[in-house]
Amino acid sequence: MTFRPAPRALATATAALLALTGVAACSTDDSPAGADPERVDVVAGFYPLQFLAEQIGGDAVAVTNLARPGAEPHDLELNPGQVGQISEAELVLFLDGFQPAVDEAVEQNAGDRAFDVAGVQPLLDAAAGGHDHGGEHADEDEHGHDEEEAHAEEEPAEGESGAKDPHVWLDPTRLATIGDKLAERLGAVDPDRAGDYTQRATALRTELEKLDAEFTEGLKTCQRREIVVSHAAFGYLTQKYQLEQIGISGLSPEDEPSPQRLAVVAEEAREHQATTIFFETLVSPKVAETIAQEVGAQTAVLDPIEGLSEGNGADYLSVMRTNLQTLRTALSCS
């Protein structure tokens, strides 16, 4: 049965009641889409897409994040209410390949209302930004990163597995480009406010370019350039800022590293005199702590910003800046 919206008078009364009871414009509940007729109803698969929609949509949008605060979004399972939200939303933001349950629901229910941010720019190969195990690496100096940087600007070749890295938001300039495209899509849905969306996207681009400049300057001169991370989510960040990631596990934080992999990571951590083994907020730090104990390093949080911890008041920009300070300390940057 096709969902039929309530009469406008009832919808308006409902919106007024929600406003009186202090319901926020962004939610993660299972309320039906279209509750506020004055706003564009947007459903986002996970936090960075919520951030974009809120920044660019402003008061003109009502954003629902399918992934609840504090939950790891990779393995999100949707309940019937959330599938209904996708069916009724005016725009659905998702990243194909990142959340299989969302991909399936979008394919079956969203139609041309879906916006796949993975299609804005070519995604990097899953191995991008990783550690070079070749014999020449020991002789690399800071000039050895030039070729990496040039390669990062090219469309990556398919790896043997064909896997792509979805963590595109960790490059602020790529996130800004996605934001520009989102403004276009919102303008198509809501032509009367298209100019407002474009203006806010331009303002967000300015903020993200400022953040990019802070990372570029802050990581320019560091004693080390290798980061040991709990899962290989930082390929975009390491490519952009000429670092190298050594991932304990692969693209998914749920991947269990083998004993052989743990031994390899420990050896590389010693080789590069790593002082810090990074873990993240939404998964267990136990593996990172094991490596750190073995090599005599400490642990610290490096947040891939797949989601936010509940009630900490942070946003994408503040978490990225915290990440920058964490990296500067761990890599002894001047």
Side-chain angles (χ1 to χ4, degrees), residues 307-326:
L308 294 182
S309 299
E310 193 165 11
N312 65 2
D315 69 359
Y316 171 85
L317 294 169
S318 66
V319 176
M320 282 290 283
R321 289 190 166 100
T322 298
N323 280 346
L324 174 58
Q325 293 307 314
T326 301

Side-chain angles (χ1 to χ4, degrees), residues 86-144:
I86 290 173
S87 299
E88 301 304 327
E90 293 170 86
L91 189 62
V92 181
L93 308 181
F94 77 112
L95 197 162
D96 186 41
F98 185 64
Q99 296 169 293
V102 175
D103 295 347
E104 181 179 358
V106 165
E107 182 179 0
Q108 295 176 359
N109 300 282
D112 60 4
R113 295 170 291 108
F115 175 30
D116 176 13
V117 304
V120 174
Q121 290 179 304
L123 297 181
L124 293 179
D125 187 80
H131 183 61
D132 180 4
H133 296 276
E136 294 179 1
H137 179 76
D139 297 325
E140 274 189 358
D141 59 14
E142 61 183 357
H143 303 293

